């Protein structure tokens, strides 16, 4: 499995979209389509991610095209940055690999009413305080424990359960994708092992690329949309990137094991075992969806509790309540998930099973699922970049519905492998380099930090520029990190 | 013998051994070499027994590593010594190690899962080999 470049066809359709025609491989039901421009194509051709886009095009019931966003990179089975929509009524399948291990990995953005000036000289101590208080790192447990029936309620009701406990507000719910709760979650569909791993990890960051960052709004591109979200230049914000922790990994692992013989049972031939799938209208498919929704709800509760702890740290640090600091949730998006959504395919309205693996929902203005406050501007899309460059807030545009089943990119996209990133660092202290650029970094694992260094990622600005020009989402503000907390 | 190879966001383990039993033991070492930087510092204080049912070598290998990962994550134990006996329908194995001690163990990566992507166990003229990709 040495790294080889992709040598198959990639035909340019327009300035931001490339096609892998469905006659490239036997078994492809539809074309592959990759949103990218010339600047990204060398990287995209450098590994097997386009081959994975072609493989996904073989899944039964897939609609229109197997899609990939400009932050596409090589994954296992599905590529990262992929979108795959299937029609259950046409034998469409659901695939645990199309969601990934970290079910409902996602991002949320919280603003404050503080400007950069207000915190001049305090960023280092604020970051230290966050680093001490926010549980992070491999297998780290947190201050919250949910056992038995209580844990089941989180799995069924997500953030709604936390609202009952006084750990979430009505606005927090409203400003979370799906209201922080997918219906149809059934805790009996998940194993005792998954339950056990969920007991003490809700409200913990984890490790790897997960983070909590203090950021400032660097530049505003759409003043009206920014204002609607409560964002303005130099405003201090907090971005949180985490997922469903060990519970989600276990749900995916259990499901893939159960799915080992399922494709054969339904006569589905696959080029890669990691693409294992079942018809949405089958017991196996339903059971996976029920379990996946539990993990998704757990992930939303996790990010809610991370935000709740951050609010407490800010309140203690500044000696004011989080309400008076106006630490309101701008929005929370999932970027590893499968959902049943309504879309129009060849002028017919259909309910599709949309897999987003490293892709973000980006519904446009006037869509019924966009909260009232954002109804006129479109759904906020939070795009985390690397810790040295920038993160973005976008809003969904009508093009996302026309071209990408209401989806856009999810981040910068990895460029270097982890080992290559460590070689590239050559023992340099990444934290010191970032400090010189005005970014305070606190991390438990220096090797992990080298793996996550800015050079390991594509330029998020290019990725965002492509989805903007492709009409999937519109640039609203760019944020830059000032304090980074990593596991 | 093992090596860790690149797979963009993830990591691969490539293992070689004379026998299938050694292949399984060596694969477990490869896994923990990614989790903890100083694997040789891990003492053999506790021993656990693991049984994996199955009759397909690559799936048994994946399940064995997934089981060790589960024990690592839930019991906070790290292991450095392994013995494996691969039978026709069952793997019987032991792993020896100790509870994680942040003062002595440099925990490197959070491995989320052992994937099926490119999973391979093969027997050739110069013994057994395997490849496994782990999700980091």
């Amino acid at each position: 499995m040495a790294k080889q470049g992709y040598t198959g066809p990639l035909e340019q359709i327009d300035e931001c979209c490339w096609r892998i025609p469905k006659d490239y491989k036997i078994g492809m039901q539809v074309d592959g389509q990759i949103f990218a421009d010339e600047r990204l194509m060398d990287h995209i051709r450098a590994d097997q991610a386009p081959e994975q886009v072609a493989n996904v095009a073989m899944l039964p019931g897939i609609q229109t095209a197997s899609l990939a966003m400009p932050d596409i990179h090589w994954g296992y089975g599905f590529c990262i940055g992929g979108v795959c929509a299937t029609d259950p009524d046409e034998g469409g399948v659901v695939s645990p690999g199309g969601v990934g291990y970290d079910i409902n990995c996602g991002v949320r953005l919280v603003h404050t009413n503080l400007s950069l000036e207000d915190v001049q000289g305090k960023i280092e101590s604020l970051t230290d305080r966050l680093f001490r208080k926010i549980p992070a790192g491999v297998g780290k447990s947190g201050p919250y424990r949910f056992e038995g029936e209580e844990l089941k309620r989180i799995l069924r009701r997500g953030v709604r359960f936390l609202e009952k406990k006084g750990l979430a507000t009505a606005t927090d719910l409203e400003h979370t994708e799906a209201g922080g709760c997918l219906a149809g979650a059934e805790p009996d569909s998940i194993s005792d092992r998954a339950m056990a791993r969920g007991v003490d990890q809700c409200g913990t960051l984890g490790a790897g690329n997960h983070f909590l960052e203090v950021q400032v709004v660097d530049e505003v591109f759409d003043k009206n949309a920014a204002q609607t979200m409560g964002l303005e230049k130099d405003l201090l914000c907090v971005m949180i990137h985490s997922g469903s922790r060990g519970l989600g990994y276990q749900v995916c692992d259990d499901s893939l094991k159960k799915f080992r013989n399922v494709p054969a049972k339904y006569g589905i031939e696959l080029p890669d075992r990691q693409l294992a799938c079942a018809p949405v209208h089958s017991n196996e498919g339903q059971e996976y969806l029920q379990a996946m929704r539990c993990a998704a709800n757990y992930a939303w509760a996790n990010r809610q509790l991370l935000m709740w702890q951050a609010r407490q740290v800010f309140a203690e640090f500044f000696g004011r309540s989080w309400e008076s600091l106006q630490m309101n949730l701008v929005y929370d998006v999932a970027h590893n998930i499968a959902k049943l959504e309504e879309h129009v395919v060849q002028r017919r309205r259909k309910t599709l099973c949309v897999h987003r693996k490293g892709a973000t929902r980006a519904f446009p203005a006037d869509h019924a699922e966009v909260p009232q406050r954002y109804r006129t501007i479109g759904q906020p899309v939070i795009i985390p970049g690397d810790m040295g460059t920038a993160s973005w807030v976008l809003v969904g545009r009508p093009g996302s519905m026309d071209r990408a089943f209401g989806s856009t990119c999810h981040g910068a996209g990895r460029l270097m492998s982890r080992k290559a990133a460590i070689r590239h660092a050559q023992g340099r202290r990444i934290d010191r380099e970032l400090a010189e650029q005005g970014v305070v970094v606190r991390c438990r694992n220096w090797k992990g930090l080298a793996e996550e260094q800015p050079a390991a990622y594509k330029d998020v600005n290019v990725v965002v520029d492509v989805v903007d020009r492709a009409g999937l989402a519109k640039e609203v503000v760019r944020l830059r990190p000032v304090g980074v907390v990593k596991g | 013998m093992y090596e860790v190879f690149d797979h963009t966001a993830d990591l691969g383990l490539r293992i070689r051994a004379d026998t299938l039993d050694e292949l399984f033991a060596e694969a477990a070492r490869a896994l923990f070499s990614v989790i903890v930087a100083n694997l040789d510092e891990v003492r053999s204080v506790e021993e656990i027994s693991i049984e994996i049912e199955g009759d397909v070598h690559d799936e048994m290998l994946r399940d064995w590593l997934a089981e060790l990962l589960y024990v690592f994550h839930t019991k906070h134990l790290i292991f450095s010594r392994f013995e494996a006996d691969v039978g026709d329908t069952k793997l019987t194995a032991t792993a020896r190690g100790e509870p994680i001690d942040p003062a002595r163990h440099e925990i490197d990566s959070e491995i989320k899962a052992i994937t099926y992507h490119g999973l391979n166990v093969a027997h050739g003229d110069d013994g057994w080999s395997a490849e496994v990709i782990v999700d980091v």
Side-chain angles (χ1 to χ4, degrees):
Chain A
M1 291 272 331
K3 181 167 167 168
Q4 288 171 336
Y6 171 76
T7 52
L10 271 171
E11 302 165 355
Q12 189 158 17
I13 304 174
D14 60 38
E15 62 167 328
C16 293
C17 193
W18 303 69
R19 173 168 52 213
I20 303 171
K22 75 173 179 183
D23 58 11
Y24 167 50
K25 286 177 103 170
I26 293 169
M28 284 175 73
Q29 315 276 317
V30 293
D31 289 346
Q33 268 183 30
I34 300 173
F35 292 96
D37 72 6
E38 278 293 353
R39 291 171 289 179
L40 296 166
M41 291 314 290
D42 284 348
H43 295 311
I44 290 173
R45 287 198 187 91
D47 63 27
Q48 291 295 310
E51 194 72 21
Q52 296 183 320
V53 174
N55 289 344
V56 168
M58 298 181 190
L59 294 182
I62 186 166
Q63 302 291 297
T64 315
S66 164
L67 302 172
M69 294 297 153
D71 47 342
I72 177 175
H73 63 81
W74 197 17
Y76 37 84
F78 287 71
C79 68
I80 312 300
V83 178
C84 161
T86 65
D87 184 347
D89 293 339
E90 293 177 14
V93 292
V94 61
S95 172
V99 174
Y101 286 95
D102 196 358
I103 296 166
N104 188 4
C105 185
V107 207
R108 65 171 51 194
L109 183 73
V110 187
H111 70 60
T112 68
N113 58 5
L114 301 165
S115 75
L116 187 57
E117 212 168 79
D118 297 331
V119 295
Q120 214 59 267
K122 294 180 188 165
I123 291 293
E124 191 150 7
S125 46
L126 175 62
T127 309
D128 279 332
R129 188 81 69 95
L130 286 163
F131 184 64
R132 277 203 302 275
K133 291 279 184 181
I134 307 288
V138 179
K140 184 86 178 166
S141 54
Y144 303 101
R145 275 183 81 85
F146 301 101
E147 288 176 76
E149 277 309 307
E150 239 188 358
L151 181 56
K152 285 186 180 177
R153 280 201 276 275
I154 288 194
L155 301 180
R156 271 197 206 95
R157 302 183 48 80
V159 187
R160 282 193 210 170
F161 169 76
L162 296 179
E163 189 194 18
K164 286 261 184 316
K165 301 269 288 185
L167 297 166
T169 67
T171 310
D172 293 341
L173 262 71
E174 207 179 313
H175 289 183
T176 302
E177 180 173 333
C181 171
L182 284 183
E186 183 39 75
D188 291 343
S189 294
I190 77 170
S191 67
D192 292 343
R193 286 188 159 201
M195 289 287 284
R197 292 178 76 170
V199 170
D200 62 356
Q201 288 195 334
C202 206
T204 68
L205 204 52
N209 62 352
H210 295 159
F211 64 73
L212 181 146
E213 283 185 7
V214 180
Q215 304 177 340
V216 288
V217 176
D218 202 28
E219 195 167 346
V220 175
F221 296 86
D222 180 331
K223 204 171 171 195
N224 174 48
Q227 229 162 26
T228 308
M229 296 182 205
L231 300 175
E232 62 187 43
K233 189 166 163 55
D234 289 335
L235 200 72
L236 206 68
C237 297
V238 177
M239 187 175 281
I240 294 166
H241 180 200
S242 187
S244 48
R245 313 288 292 106
L247 182 141
Y249 315 158
Q250 192 69 41
V251 166
C252 181
D253 200 70
D254 292 341
S255 304
L256 284 167
K257 210 167 175 177
K258 282 185 203 159
F259 271 40
R260 272 182 196 168
N261 301 313
V262 170
K265 177 180 169 185
Y266 293 100
I268 301 168
E269 281 184 41
L270 297 169
D272 184 335
R273 271 183 281 181
Q274 195 76 24
L275 296 176
C277 56
V280 174
H281 292 320
S282 68
N283 289 337
E284 294 89 348
Q286 286 300 312
E287 204 185 332
Y288 169 68
L289 282 169
Q290 288 165 354
M292 184 219 65
R293 289 168 186 145
C294 289
N297 292 343
Y298 185 85
W300 274 311
N302 181 38
R303 289 196 290 278
Q304 175 69 27
L305 288 179
L306 284 165
M307 175 179 75
W308 201 259
Q309 293 171 87
R311 281 171 172 170
Q312 287 171 338
V313 171
F314 268 69
E316 281 168 26
F317 187 83
F318 291 102
R320 290 156 63 188
S321 70
W322 69 262
E323 290 92 343
S324 79
L325 290 164
Q326 290 180 11
M327 288 188 75
N328 300 325
L329 176 59
V330 175
Y331 205 65
D332 176 303
V333 288
H335 55 223
N336 283 356
I337 203 158
K339 288 162 92 180
L340 295 173
E341 291 175 356
E342 287 212 342
H343 290 278
V344 176
V345 180
Q346 291 171 342
R347 295 189 194 163
R348 274 178 58 207
R349 185 158 284 277
K350 292 178 163 191
T351 300
L352 304 180
C353 181
V354 182
H355 301 72
R356 296 192 181 97
K357 187 182 190 185
T360 316
R361 199 186 71 175
F363 285 167
D366 297 326
H367 192 288
E369 281 195 49
V370 177
Q372 206 59 46
R373 175 162 175 183
Y374 304 131
R375 196 60 68 80
T376 58
I377 59 168
Q379 174 217 307
V381 176
I382 319 292
I383 306 293
D386 62 76
M387 61 184 122
T389 314
S391 294
W392 284 83
V393 178
L394 318 176
V395 282
R397 287 177 64 188
S400 75
M401 301 307 278
D402 301 339
R403 308 187 72 178
F405 301 104
S407 313
T408 188
C409 61
H410 88 303
R414 245 194 130 76
L415 199 57
M416 283 182 199
S417 68
R418 290 177 193 275
K419 289 187 73 171
I422 289 165
R423 284 194 297 272
H424 185 80
Q426 289 181 320
R428 287 178 295 129
R429 285 288 298 263
I430 304 297
D431 59 325
R432 284 191 196 142
E433 284 178 18
L434 287 164
E436 280 166 23
Q437 295 168 36
V439 187
V440 178
V441 181
R442 293 292 178 265
C443 180
R444 281 172 183 82
N445 174 0
W446 300 111
K447 194 171 151 198
L449 192 63
E451 290 176 356
E452 295 297 319
Q453 66 182 293
Y457 284 89
K458 293 182 194 177
D459 183 348
V460 67
N461 299 324
V462 174
V463 169
V464 164
D465 178 57
V466 170
V467 299
D468 185 297
R469 283 191 292 130
L472 307 182
K474 184 173 190 302
E475 296 171 354
V476 178
V477 307
R478 192 181 63 223
L479 302 129
R480 66 184 160 87
V482 290
V484 178
V485 173
K486 290 191 72 72
Chain B
M1 190 178 75
Y2 63 79
E3 59 174 328
V4 180
F5 64 96
D6 278 342
H7 192 275
T8 313
D10 305 306
L11 288 173
L13 312 175
R14 190 174 289 130
I15 310 111
R16 285 183 182 283
D18 291 338
T19 68
L20 195 55
D21 291 352
E22 286 168 23
L23 186 81
F24 273 58
E26 200 62 7
R29 267 186 80 80
L31 174 68
F32 280 93
S33 79
V34 175
I35 294 173
V36 58
N38 49 351
L39 188 62
D40 292 336
E41 304 291 312
V42 176
R43 300 174 195 156
S44 298
V45 176
E46 289 191 36
E47 180 176 302
I48 61 159
S49 301
I50 289 175
E51 281 189 7
I52 302 287
E53 289 184 11
D55 50 15
V56 183
H57 288 146
D58 58 7
E59 288 178 358
M60 286 168 88
L61 178 67
R62 195 218 72 95
D63 288 353
W64 151 243
L65 298 179
E67 186 66 27
L68 288 168
L69 191 60
Y70 174 77
V71 175
F72 165 75
H73 277 299
T74 53
K75 302 212 164 75
H76 307 295
L77 293 170
I78 40 175
F79 302 103
S80 61
R81 289 164 196 271
F82 309 89
E83 277 165 35
D85 176 8
V86 187
D88 290 338
T89 59
K90 197 164 76 174
L91 161 73
T92 314
T94 56
R96 277 177 287 172
E98 63 176 326
I100 297 171
D101 177 357
R104 287 192 298 114
H105 303 134
E106 287 174 49
I107 302 296
D108 251 4
S109 306
E110 181 180 61
I111 295 191
K112 291 177 186 159
I114 316 294
T115 79
Y116 295 80
H117 180 59
L119 178 65
N120 179 37
V121 173
H123 187 232
D125 293 341
D126 49 354
W128 289 87
S129 64
E131 283 190 3
V132 187
I133 290 171
V134 300
D135 183 7
V136 183

